[in-house]
Amino acid sequence: MSPNTPYCIATKELSLWYGRFQALIGVSVEIKHGLITALIGPSGCGKTTLLRCFNRVNERYGNVTTTGEIRVLGKNIYDPDVSLIELRKAVGMVFQRPNPLPISVYENVVFGLRIHSPARSLTRSALDEAVERALTEVGLWEDLKDRLHRKGTALQLEQQQKLCIARLLPLKPRLILMDEPCSSLDVEGTRAIEELMFALKGQYTIVIVTHNMAQARRASDECLFMLMGELIEHRRTEDLFLTPQDHRTAEYIEGRYG
Amino acid sequence: MDTMFAETPLVRVKRRRESLARGVFFCMSVAMILPLVAIVTYLVVKAWPTLSWNFLVDIPREGMREGGIWPALVGTIYLVFISLAVAAPLGILAAIYLSEYARDNWFNRIINLAVINLAGVPSIVHALFGLGAFVYAAKFGYSIISASLTLAIMTLPVIIASTREALASVPQSFREACWNVGATRWQTIRSIVLPNSVSGILTGVILQVSRAAGETAPIMFTGAVFYKAVERGTLLPYYLDEQCMALSMHLYTISTQVPGVEESLPYATAVVLLGAVLLVNASAIALRVVLRSRKKW
Ligand SMILES: Nc1ncnc2c1ncn2[C@@H]1O[C@H](COP(=O)(O)OP(=O)(O)OP(=O)(O)O)[C@@H](O)[C@H]1O
Ligand SMILES: [Mg+2]
């Protein structure tokens, strides 16, 4: 995987079927390194589905057929030598409803390390350090350093969502996919997560699905608009919102549907 | 306007109907409990003259007209324990496969259907199957092994169903969280799914104890006998290739097959059977409560 490829994710003619229902139709998209790319579109247009393609986790959701090509960091992820485990370590996902695991904050953060390394190779100090680094990076360390052994599920929603992001970091992901990460948070929480995204940007490539047009506008560098499984438009965020090229994009951002 | 918000005749009728409906439903739920209380009281009163420690540990005497139930009690424990030792691991593993691994294809749908239907097969059919399969085909003869395996086959589908239910109660979002940091299915199951469903799984298994202990037909066909001479109070009186006595069978025998049994004897046997089952079920509930109170999400 060479970091010198121009795009972090590049798909060609990507189509996907759930059983006989086609959820993605010939999506070709290129997502640049280190930027925040927003993915917008009405409900059911395939945003989540597209996101799940990038770490092939769709395959865990039943009867899925995919055609076309997906390159992540230049590597075709359908090549036979691709390990799904390594792929998913590099491409982390954050969900709409924060889903910390029902274990302690500490264990949530080191969960990835634990499942990917033999038990003996993990020293206490290495784990402690990983926890401190990850929680510091998402801005939870000060709040939680004395409460690391509380259950992750007992935190406030905003903290839970940050914890879900922190959980990815010890695995050193290259890409963070966020599926409507703020939709169950209040205004404060939303702002906190957006600030966190800005802080993480550059170091990680971020793709964020959002229903909130204002959020896409203020928080993203580039923007993708999808409709009924097709990619309609992909441009710099300002351009997409100021001068949409496709009439369907214009209608959507004016709020005519969705 | 002092009649504002006053009851109109229509509302009054509705209100009467409402309280009538409420009363009917209440009576029905009481009517459900009454028979249970009545049965238990009746049994205990009838059994009272015989109930004693000696009744538990003594062997039947005078052609089963007097004495205790020790061999039957131990026999039932044997049968229940061995059958669950077989059925629980098999059922739990099968359920994990069906719930966590199996894709939705025709093969797995057929397995699913088979499990559901197997749970509805009458126990007398299981008895006949056990007779053919274990006693004759597998040549285990009339023995504790045959009887236990028959009971295991009978409880298996229910254990599978209850385990699947317990697994399904673990939120899908936990699994997603695991998958998206690259956990294999097995790692997901072991580290998250099982710890959060173990109380449900165990309760399901324990509830099958009462079923296995209560059945008569399957063991009568395959390994339970009317009478077997053992020593009073011995802990391990049977070999696995022998036949054994069992409480349910013993109850049937002394109630219908032996003339001149002391009247309180069958009742006392029933009380012991019922008491054992209630004890086990209560422990299942206690376990559930304890394990539940520990998890929160
Ligand atoms: N596991 C699945 N099996 C079958 N169909 C599915 C599955 N997941 C999604 N779909 C269908 O695929 C289409 C796209 O779904 P997807 O969840 O990707 O939409 P979305 O854009 O994320 O919508 P939302 O904004 O509501 O989250 C929908 O019509 C949905 O019903
Ligand atoms: Mg979605």
Side-chain angles (χ1 to χ4, degrees):
Chain A
M1 293 195 199
S2 123
N4 301 325
T5 48
Y7 299 111
C8 186
I9 303 174
T11 71
K12 266 196 213 119
E13 288 303 316
L14 172 63
S15 293
L16 182 144
W17 289 261
Y18 290 113
R20 249 169 288 145
F21 171 77
Q22 185 165 13
L24 293 179
I25 305 165
V27 174
S28 299
V29 64
E30 284 153 348
I31 292 171
K32 296 201 184 83
H33 281 294
L35 297 187
I36 299 177
T37 304
L39 184 47
I40 60 172
S43 226
C45 69
K47 304 183 295 291
T48 301
T49 304
L50 181 61
L51 217 54
R52 287 203 214 122
C53 284
F54 299 151
N55 64 1
R56 284 183 61 185
V57 84
N58 261 329
E59 294 161 29
R60 291 270 169 98
Y61 291 82
N63 192 2
V64 172
T65 329
T66 320
T67 62
E69 191 186 86
I70 308 172
R71 288 181 177 275
V72 172
L73 301 163
K75 174 78 179 170
N76 183 346
I77 60 173
Y78 282 95
D79 277 352
D81 65 335
V82 167
S83 147
L84 290 182
I85 293 173
E86 292 303 316
L87 174 65
R88 287 176 194 153
K89 277 165 71 177
V91 184
M93 176 104 88
V94 178
F95 297 83
Q96 183 164 356
R97 268 207 72 75
N99 60 351
L101 295 167
I103 47 185
S104 70
V105 171
Y106 187 96
E107 286 301 320
N108 260 287
V109 178
V110 298
F111 185 79
L113 290 180
R114 282 207 198 281
I115 60 175
H116 294 303
S117 354
R120 261 170 286 114
S121 70
L122 294 169
T123 62
R124 186 80 204 174
S125 59
L127 291 179
D128 288 346
E129 198 194 315
V131 170
E132 179 167 356
R133 186 150 7 99
L135 288 182
T136 308
E137 211 167 337
V138 299
L140 277 182
W141 179 249
E142 284 307 315
D143 290 345
L144 293 186
K145 65 183 175 199
D146 303 318
R147 290 182 288 169
L148 293 177
H149 295 284
R150 280 184 61 186
K151 280 213 167 180
T153 38
L155 302 177
Q156 300 158 8
L157 279 180
E158 175 195 332
Q159 294 179 322
Q160 288 190 16
Q161 195 62 299
K162 286 179 171 173
L163 179 62
C164 291
I165 298 172
R167 180 170 63 199
L168 306 174
L169 303 183
L171 297 175
K172 310 210 179 330
R174 305 293 302 277
L175 237 165
I176 299 180
L177 309 172
M178 301 185 171
D179 193 355
E180 304 188 35
C182 302
S183 66
S184 52
L185 304 183
D186 58 11
V187 182
E188 279 298 302
T190 303
R191 220 197 43 217
I193 297 292
E194 282 173 16
E195 273 166 15
L196 177 56
M197 281 164 46
F198 289 130
L200 296 175
K201 170 182 154 176
Q203 200 177 349
Y204 308 97
T205 306
I206 296 175
V207 183
I208 175 177
V209 170
T210 175
H211 257 126
N212 178 338
M213 224 79 65
Q215 178 175 49
R217 235 177 141 151
R218 65 180 176 253
S220 69
D221 303 299
E222 300 210 335
C223 195
L224 302 171
F225 172 63
M226 288 182 70
L227 190 60
M228 314 235 310
E230 283 182 277
L231 177 65
I232 304 295
E233 196 161 343
H234 174 195
R235 303 181 38 226
R236 285 183 47 216
T237 302
E238 292 159 43
D239 299 344
L240 186 124
F241 279 96
L242 288 177
T243 52
Q245 302 276 288
D246 195 292
H247 68 98
R248 288 166 293 184
T249 315
E251 282 165 15
Y252 181 69
I253 59 185
E254 281 164 22
R256 272 199 233 153
Y257 47 72
Chain B
M1 284 287 272
D2 41 347
T3 58
M4 201 160 99
F5 301 137
E7 205 170 55
T8 65
L10 187 61
V11 171
R12 196 168 311 132
V13 171
K14 277 201 225 165
R15 188 163 53 82
R16 291 228 183 92
R17 275 198 203 137
E18 171 64 23
S19 43
L20 184 70
R22 192 194 177 89
V24 168
F25 291 129
F26 176 74
C27 290
M28 284 304 162
S29 64
V30 171
M32 292 294 300
I33 301 167
L34 275 181
L36 182 70
V37 175
I39 290 171
V40 173
T41 320
Y42 179 73
L43 284 180
V44 172
V45 168
K46 284 281 203 178
W48 198 252
T50 299
L51 279 180
S52 68
W53 178 249
N54 187 54
F55 175 69
L56 281 184
V57 298
D58 199 9
I59 58 171
R61 296 177 192 276
E62 306 296 329
M64 301 201 277
R65 291 181 183 87
E66 285 169 27
I69 50 165
W70 181 251
L73 184 61
V74 182
T76 291
I77 294 174
Y78 264 63
L79 293 174
V80 168
F81 192 82
I82 298 173
S83 66
L84 287 184
V86 173
L90 275 181
I92 292 171
L93 295 181
I96 291 178
Y97 174 76
L98 289 174
S99 294
E100 303 289 325
Y101 287 90
R103 283 165 189 259
D104 187 22
N105 57 26
W106 64 269
F107 179 71
N108 289 314
R109 262 182 243 154
I110 286 176
I111 294 187
N112 241 334
L113 214 63
V115 169
I116 293 167
N117 282 307
L118 223 52
V121 171
S123 60
I124 189 81
V125 178
H126 281 294
L128 213 58
F129 170 77
L131 181 68
F134 301 123
V135 177
Y136 294 127
K139 297 202 172 58
F140 292 140
Y142 293 95
S143 62
I144 294 182
I145 283 288
S146 297
S148 303
L149 290 177
T150 308
L151 288 178
I153 295 287
M154 191 189 78
T155 49
L156 195 58
V158 186
I159 291 180
I160 292 180
S162 64
T163 305
R164 292 196 62 178
E165 208 170 298
L167 294 173
S169 73
V170 177
Q172 187 67 10
S173 64
F174 292 165
R175 294 185 184 86
E176 290 180 327
C178 294
W179 298 344
N180 280 288
V181 289
T184 60
R185 279 181 198 269
W186 171 236
Q187 284 175 320
T188 307
I189 293 166
R190 223 207 45 209
S191 60
I192 298 298
V193 178
L194 281 183
N196 287 291
S197 55
V198 66
S199 66
I201 293 175
L202 287 183
T203 321
V205 171
I206 294 175
L207 288 180
Q208 285 311 297
V209 168
S210 47
R211 227 175 124 232
E215 282 295 343
T216 318
I219 57 173
M220 199 151 119
F221 277 45
T222 52
V225 278
F226 287 142
Y227 181 73
K228 178 116 187 152
V230 307
E231 248 176 75
R232 178 192 151 103
T234 40
L235 281 178
L236 301 169
Y238 299 116
Y239 289 106
L240 296 189
D241 58 355
E242 288 181 328
Q243 290 173 283
C244 68
M245 292 178 69
L247 282 177
S248 53
M249 174 93 165
H250 186 62
L251 182 55
Y252 165 75
T253 312
I254 57 177
S255 314
T256 63
Q257 306 293 301
V258 185
V261 178
E262 196 183 320
E263 204 206 355
S264 62
L265 217 55
Y267 290 102
T269 308
V271 167
V272 171
L273 185 57
L274 196 66
V277 164
L278 289 182
L279 201 71
V280 168
N281 287 1
S283 70
I285 293 168
L287 180 77
R288 196 186 187 101
V289 171
V290 169
L291 289 174
R292 262 237 187 107
S293 64
R294 280 209 247 130
K295 76 176 175 197
K296 271 206 186 67
W297 56 63

PDB file of all heavy atoms in Angstrom, chain A residues 16-40:
ATOM      1  N   LEU A  16     -23.653  -2.673  -6.228  1.00  0.00           N
ATOM      2  CA  LEU A  16     -23.865  -3.588  -5.116  1.00  0.00           C
ATOM      3  C   LEU A  16     -25.330  -3.983  -5.043  1.00  0.00           C
ATOM      4  O   LEU A  16     -26.217  -3.155  -5.212  1.00  0.00           O
ATOM      5  CB  LEU A  16     -23.430  -2.923  -3.813  1.00  0.00           C
ATOM      6  CG  LEU A  16     -23.540  -3.792  -2.544  1.00  0.00           C
ATOM      7  CD1 LEU A  16     -22.392  -3.501  -1.606  1.00  0.00           C
ATOM      8  CD2 LEU A  16     -24.854  -3.564  -1.828  1.00  0.00           C
ATOM      9  N   TRP A  17     -25.556  -5.256  -4.805  1.00  0.00           N
ATOM     10  CA  TRP A  17     -26.922  -5.783  -4.668  1.00  0.00           C
ATOM     11  C   TRP A  17     -27.112  -6.414  -3.300  1.00  0.00           C
ATOM     12  O   TRP A  17     -26.238  -7.145  -2.839  1.00  0.00           O
ATOM     13  CB  TRP A  17     -27.182  -6.865  -5.708  1.00  0.00           C
ATOM     14  CG  TRP A  17     -27.304  -6.391  -7.112  1.00  0.00           C
ATOM     15  CD1 TRP A  17     -28.454  -6.165  -7.791  1.00  0.00           C
ATOM     16  CD2 TRP A  17     -26.237  -6.120  -8.039  1.00  0.00           C
ATOM     17  NE1 TRP A  17     -28.173  -5.762  -9.076  1.00  0.00           N
ATOM     18  CE2 TRP A  17     -26.826  -5.717  -9.255  1.00  0.00           C
ATOM     19  CE3 TRP A  17     -24.833  -6.152  -7.951  1.00  0.00           C
ATOM     20  CZ2 TRP A  17     -26.074  -5.375 -10.368  1.00  0.00           C
ATOM     21  CZ3 TRP A  17     -24.088  -5.803  -9.056  1.00  0.00           C
ATOM     22  CH2 TRP A  17     -24.709  -5.420 -10.251  1.00  0.00           C
ATOM     23  N   TYR A  18     -28.236  -6.096  -2.667  1.00  0.00           N
ATOM     24  CA  TYR A  18     -28.682  -6.884  -1.504  1.00  0.00           C
ATOM     25  C   TYR A  18     -29.692  -7.873  -2.051  1.00  0.00           C
ATOM     26  O   TYR A  18     -30.813  -7.487  -2.381  1.00  0.00           O
ATOM     27  CB  TYR A  18     -29.383  -6.004  -0.475  1.00  0.00           C
ATOM     28  CG  TYR A  18     -28.491  -5.037   0.277  1.00  0.00           C
ATOM     29  CD1 TYR A  18     -28.614  -3.667   0.097  1.00  0.00           C
ATOM     30  CD2 TYR A  18     -27.553  -5.510   1.189  1.00  0.00           C
ATOM     31  CE1 TYR A  18     -27.822  -2.782   0.808  1.00  0.00           C
ATOM     32  CE2 TYR A  18     -26.762  -4.628   1.905  1.00  0.00           C
ATOM     33  CZ  TYR A  18     -26.900  -3.270   1.707  1.00  0.00           C
ATOM     34  OH  TYR A  18     -26.125  -2.404   2.413  1.00  0.00           O
ATOM     35  N   GLY A  19     -29.341  -9.133  -2.175  1.00  0.00           N
ATOM     36  CA  GLY A  19     -30.243 -10.071  -2.844  1.00  0.00           C
ATOM     37  C   GLY A  19     -30.438  -9.610  -4.270  1.00  0.00           C
ATOM     38  O   GLY A  19     -29.471  -9.479  -5.021  1.00  0.00           O
ATOM     39  N   ARG A  20     -31.669  -9.291  -4.651  1.00  0.00           N
ATOM     40  CA  ARG A  20     -31.904  -8.827  -6.016  1.00  0.00           C
ATOM     41  C   ARG A  20     -32.075  -7.313  -6.083  1.00  0.00           C
ATOM     42  O   ARG A  20     -32.241  -6.743  -7.148  1.00  0.00           O
ATOM     43  CB  ARG A  20     -33.132  -9.533  -6.606  1.00  0.00           C
ATOM     44  CG  ARG A  20     -32.718 -10.490  -7.723  1.00  0.00           C
ATOM     45  CD  ARG A  20     -33.887 -11.380  -8.118  1.00  0.00           C
ATOM     46  NE  ARG A  20     -34.156 -12.354  -7.075  1.00  0.00           N
ATOM     47  CZ  ARG A  20     -35.375 -12.787  -6.754  1.00  0.00           C
ATOM     48  NH1 ARG A  20     -36.425 -12.337  -7.374  1.00  0.00           N
ATOM     49  NH2 ARG A  20     -35.534 -13.682  -5.800  1.00  0.00           N
ATOM     50  N   PHE A  21     -32.036  -6.667  -4.903  1.00  0.00           N
ATOM     51  CA  PHE A  21     -32.217  -5.218  -4.870  1.00  0.00           C
ATOM     52  C   PHE A  21     -30.876  -4.508  -5.059  1.00  0.00           C
ATOM     53  O   PHE A  21     -29.920  -4.750  -4.319  1.00  0.00           O
ATOM     54  CB  PHE A  21     -32.853  -4.806  -3.542  1.00  0.00           C
ATOM     55  CG  PHE A  21     -32.888  -3.327  -3.326  1.00  0.00           C
ATOM     56  CD1 PHE A  21     -33.837  -2.551  -3.979  1.00  0.00           C
ATOM     57  CD2 PHE A  21     -31.966  -2.718  -2.487  1.00  0.00           C
ATOM     58  CE1 PHE A  21     -33.871  -1.185  -3.785  1.00  0.00           C
ATOM     59  CE2 PHE A  21     -31.994  -1.334  -2.297  1.00  0.00           C
ATOM     60  CZ  PHE A  21     -32.948  -0.576  -2.943  1.00  0.00           C
ATOM     61  N   GLN A  22     -30.808  -3.663  -6.097  1.00  0.00           N
ATOM     62  CA  GLN A  22     -29.544  -2.982  -6.362  1.00  0.00           C
ATOM     63  C   GLN A  22     -29.466  -1.695  -5.544  1.00  0.00           C
ATOM     64  O   GLN A  22     -30.257  -0.774  -5.726  1.00  0.00           O
ATOM     65  CB  GLN A  22     -29.399  -2.676  -7.854  1.00  0.00           C
ATOM     66  CG  GLN A  22     -28.030  -2.086  -8.164  1.00  0.00           C
ATOM     67  CD  GLN A  22     -27.705  -2.093  -9.635  1.00  0.00           C
ATOM     68  OE1 GLN A  22     -28.572  -2.323 -10.482  1.00  0.00           O
ATOM     69  NE2 GLN A  22     -26.455  -1.824  -9.979  1.00  0.00           N
ATOM     70  N   ALA A  23     -28.501  -1.629  -4.648  1.00  0.00           N
ATOM     71  CA  ALA A  23     -28.393  -0.477  -3.757  1.00  0.00           C
ATOM     72  C   ALA A  23     -27.366   0.538  -4.251  1.00  0.00           C
ATOM     73  O   ALA A  23     -27.448   1.718  -3.917  1.00  0.00           O
ATOM     74  CB  ALA A  23     -28.052  -0.926  -2.348  1.00  0.00           C
ATOM     75  N   LEU A  24     -26.371   0.086  -5.023  1.00  0.00           N
ATOM     76  CA  LEU A  24     -25.396   1.014  -5.597  1.00  0.00           C
ATOM     77  C   LEU A  24     -25.327   0.747  -7.095  1.00  0.00           C
ATOM     78  O   LEU A  24     -25.282  -0.402  -7.532  1.00  0.00           O
ATOM     79  CB  LEU A  24     -24.007   0.810  -4.984  1.00  0.00           C
ATOM     80  CG  LEU A  24     -23.834   1.151  -3.509  1.00  0.00           C
ATOM     81  CD1 LEU A  24     -22.398   0.870  -3.079  1.00  0.00           C
ATOM     82  CD2 LEU A  24     -24.193   2.604  -3.230  1.00  0.00           C
ATOM     83  N   ILE A  25     -25.316   1.816  -7.862  1.00  0.00           N
ATOM     84  CA  ILE A  25     -25.348   1.671  -9.316  1.00  0.00           C
ATOM     85  C   ILE A  25     -24.140   2.391  -9.913  1.00  0.00           C
ATOM     86  O   ILE A  25     -24.085   3.616  -9.945  1.00  0.00           O
ATOM     87  CB  ILE A  25     -26.650   2.264  -9.887  1.00  0.00           C
ATOM     88  CG1 ILE A  25     -27.861   1.618  -9.197  1.00  0.00           C
ATOM     89  CG2 ILE A  25     -26.709   2.054 -11.393  1.00  0.00           C
ATOM     90  CD1 ILE A  25     -29.150   2.363  -9.426  1.00  0.00           C
ATOM     91  N   GLY A  26     -23.167   1.640 -10.333  1.00  0.00           N
ATOM     92  CA  GLY A  26     -22.009   2.183 -11.046  1.00  0.00           C
ATOM     93  C   GLY A  26     -21.377   3.397 -10.407  1.00  0.00           C
ATOM     94  O   GLY A  26     -21.213   4.426 -11.049  1.00  0.00           O
ATOM     95  N   VAL A  27     -21.017   3.285  -9.148  1.00  0.00           N
ATOM     96  CA  VAL A  27     -20.426   4.428  -8.465  1.00  0.00           C
ATOM     97  C   VAL A  27     -18.926   4.492  -8.742  1.00  0.00           C
ATOM     98  O   VAL A  27     -18.196   3.549  -8.459  1.00  0.00           O
ATOM     99  CB  VAL A  27     -20.661   4.341  -6.943  1.00  0.00           C
ATOM    100  CG1 VAL A  27     -19.913   5.457  -6.231  1.00  0.00           C
ATOM    101  CG2 VAL A  27     -22.142   4.405  -6.634  1.00  0.00           C
ATOM    102  N   SER A  28     -18.480   5.585  -9.330  1.00  0.00           N
ATOM    103  CA  SER A  28     -17.049   5.807  -9.500  1.00  0.00           C
ATOM    104  C   SER A  28     -16.693   7.071  -8.738  1.00  0.00           C
ATOM    105  O   SER A  28     -17.197   8.143  -9.047  1.00  0.00           O
ATOM    106  CB  SER A  28     -16.693   5.980 -10.973  1.00  0.00           C
ATOM    107  OG  SER A  28     -17.025   4.825 -11.682  1.00  0.00           O
ATOM    108  N   VAL A  29     -15.832   6.931  -7.767  1.00  0.00           N
ATOM    109  CA  VAL A  29     -15.553   8.081  -6.929  1.00  0.00           C
ATOM    110  C   VAL A  29     -14.099   8.050  -6.501  1.00  0.00           C
ATOM    111  O   VAL A  29     -13.501   6.977  -6.386  1.00  0.00           O
ATOM    112  CB  VAL A  29     -16.490   8.087  -5.697  1.00  0.00           C
ATOM    113  CG1 VAL A  29     -16.242   6.899  -4.816  1.00  0.00           C
ATOM    114  CG2 VAL A  29     -16.344   9.372  -4.901  1.00  0.00           C
ATOM    115  N   GLU A  30     -13.530   9.234  -6.331  1.00  0.00           N
ATOM    116  CA  GLU A  30     -12.147   9.296  -5.876  1.00  0.00           C
ATOM    117  C   GLU A  30     -12.088  10.225  -4.666  1.00  0.00           C
ATOM    118  O   GLU A  30     -12.533  11.366  -4.740  1.00  0.00           O
ATOM    119  CB  GLU A  30     -11.245   9.818  -7.001  1.00  0.00           C
ATOM    120  CG  GLU A  30     -10.989   8.747  -8.031  1.00  0.00           C
ATOM    121  CD  GLU A  30     -10.697   9.310  -9.406  1.00  0.00           C
ATOM    122  OE1 GLU A  30     -10.911  10.513  -9.625  1.00  0.00           O
ATOM    123  OE2 GLU A  30     -10.233   8.527 -10.256  1.00  0.00           O
ATOM    124  N   ILE A  31     -11.583   9.722  -3.585  1.00  0.00           N
ATOM    125  CA  ILE A  31     -11.549  10.501  -2.352  1.00  0.00           C
ATOM    126  C   ILE A  31     -10.121  10.797  -1.968  1.00  0.00           C
ATOM    127  O   ILE A  31      -9.282   9.892  -1.909  1.00  0.00           O
ATOM    128  CB  ILE A  31     -12.300   9.731  -1.238  1.00  0.00           C
ATOM    129  CG1 ILE A  31     -13.801   9.703  -1.589  1.00  0.00           C
ATOM    130  CG2 ILE A  31     -12.074  10.382   0.122  1.00  0.00           C
ATOM    131  CD1 ILE A  31     -14.619   8.818  -0.716  1.00  0.00           C
ATOM    132  N   LYS A  32      -9.850  12.085  -1.756  1.00  0.00           N
ATOM    133  CA  LYS A  32      -8.455  12.500  -1.585  1.00  0.00           C
ATOM    134  C   LYS A  32      -7.951  12.257  -0.164  1.00  0.00           C
ATOM    135  O   LYS A  32      -8.706  12.273   0.795  1.00  0.00           O
ATOM    136  CB  LYS A  32      -8.329  13.996  -1.909  1.00  0.00           C
ATOM    137  CG  LYS A  32      -8.638  14.324  -3.348  1.00  0.00           C
ATOM    138  CD  LYS A  32      -8.010  15.657  -3.733  1.00  0.00           C
ATOM    139  CE  LYS A  32      -8.404  16.040  -5.155  1.00  0.00           C
ATOM    140  NZ  LYS A  32      -9.737  16.682  -5.207  1.00  0.00           N
ATOM    141  N   HIS A  33      -6.643  12.090  -0.085  1.00  0.00           N
ATOM    142  CA  HIS A  33      -5.971  11.904   1.203  1.00  0.00           C
ATOM    143  C   HIS A  33      -6.172  13.099   2.127  1.00  0.00           C
ATOM    144  O   HIS A  33      -6.133  14.248   1.688  1.00  0.00           O
ATOM    145  CB  HIS A  33      -4.459  11.796   0.989  1.00  0.00           C
ATOM    146  CG  HIS A  33      -4.038  10.459   0.532  1.00  0.00           C
ATOM    147  ND1 HIS A  33      -4.144   9.339   1.317  1.00  0.00           N
ATOM    148  CD2 HIS A  33      -3.488  10.055  -0.636  1.00  0.00           C
ATOM    149  CE1 HIS A  33      -3.671   8.306   0.656  1.00  0.00           C
ATOM    150  NE2 HIS A  33      -3.282   8.703  -0.529  1.00  0.00           N
ATOM    151  N   GLY A  34      -6.362  12.812   3.368  1.00  0.00           N
ATOM    152  CA  GLY A  34      -6.245  13.839   4.395  1.00  0.00           C
ATOM    153  C   GLY A  34      -7.358  14.863   4.439  1.00  0.00           C
ATOM    154  O   GLY A  34      -7.300  15.802   5.218  1.00  0.00           O
ATOM    155  N   LEU A  35      -8.371  14.711   3.607  1.00  0.00           N
ATOM    156  CA  LEU A  35      -9.467  15.671   3.620  1.00  0.00           C
ATOM    157  C   LEU A  35     -10.668  15.089   4.355  1.00  0.00           C
ATOM    158  O   LEU A  35     -10.722  13.904   4.663  1.00  0.00           O
ATOM    159  CB  LEU A  35      -9.894  16.006   2.188  1.00  0.00           C
ATOM    160  CG  LEU A  35      -8.862  16.674   1.296  1.00  0.00           C
ATOM    161  CD1 LEU A  35      -9.514  17.081  -0.013  1.00  0.00           C
ATOM    162  CD2 LEU A  35      -8.263  17.902   1.980  1.00  0.00           C
ATOM    163  N   ILE A  36     -11.632  15.974   4.600  1.00  0.00           N
ATOM    164  CA  ILE A  36     -12.913  15.499   5.094  1.00  0.00           C
ATOM    165  C   ILE A  36     -13.869  15.522   3.910  1.00  0.00           C
ATOM    166  O   ILE A  36     -14.077  16.557   3.295  1.00  0.00           O
ATOM    167  CB  ILE A  36     -13.451  16.404   6.220  1.00  0.00           C
ATOM    168  CG1 ILE A  36     -12.479  16.394   7.395  1.00  0.00           C
ATOM    169  CG2 ILE A  36     -14.834  15.929   6.649  1.00  0.00           C
ATOM    170  CD1 ILE A  36     -12.888  17.323   8.521  1.00  0.00           C
ATOM    171  N   THR A  37     -14.382  14.377   3.577  1.00  0.00           N
ATOM    172  CA  THR A  37     -15.328  14.295   2.466  1.00  0.00           C
ATOM    173  C   THR A  37     -16.696  13.976   3.027  1.00  0.00           C
ATOM    174  O   THR A  37     -16.851  13.008   3.773  1.00  0.00           O
ATOM    175  CB  THR A  37     -14.899  13.207   1.471  1.00  0.00           C
ATOM    176  OG1 THR A  37     -13.575  13.486   1.034  1.00  0.00           O
ATOM    177  CG2 THR A  37     -15.833  13.148   0.293  1.00  0.00           C
ATOM    178  N   ALA A  38     -17.676  14.796   2.689  1.00  0.00           N
ATOM    179  CA  ALA A  38     -19.024  14.554   3.187  1.00  0.00           C
ATOM    180  C   ALA A  38     -19.819  13.799   2.140  1.00  0.00           C
ATOM    181  O   ALA A  38     -19.604  13.956   0.937  1.00  0.00           O
ATOM    182  CB  ALA A  38     -19.712  15.870   3.509  1.00  0.00           C
ATOM    183  N   LEU A  39     -20.727  12.967   2.633  1.00  0.00           N
ATOM    184  CA  LEU A  39     -21.557  12.171   1.735  1.00  0.00           C
ATOM    185  C   LEU A  39     -22.999  12.512   2.080  1.00  0.00           C
ATOM    186  O   LEU A  39     -23.445  12.260   3.194  1.00  0.00           O
ATOM    187  CB  LEU A  39     -21.236  10.705   1.997  1.00  0.00           C
ATOM    188  CG  LEU A  39     -21.845   9.591   1.179  1.00  0.00           C
ATOM    189  CD1 LEU A  39     -21.756   9.901  -0.292  1.00  0.00           C
ATOM    190  CD2 LEU A  39     -21.100   8.298   1.476  1.00  0.00           C
ATOM    191  N   ILE A  40     -23.693  13.164   1.137  1.00  0.00           N
ATOM    192  CA  ILE A  40     -25.069  13.551   1.438  1.00  0.00           C
ATOM    193  C   ILE A  40     -26.026  12.912   0.440  1.00  0.00           C
ATOM    194  O   ILE A  40     -25.614  12.434  -0.617  1.00  0.00           O
ATOM    195  CB  ILE A  40     -25.251  15.092   1.421  1.00  0.00           C
ATOM    196  CG1 ILE A  40     -24.899  15.655   0.043  1.00  0.00           C
ATOM    197  CG2 ILE A  40     -24.423  15.753   2.498  1.00  0.00           C
ATOM    198  CD1 ILE A  40     -25.243  17.133  -0.119  1.00  0.00           C
TER     199      ILE A  40
END
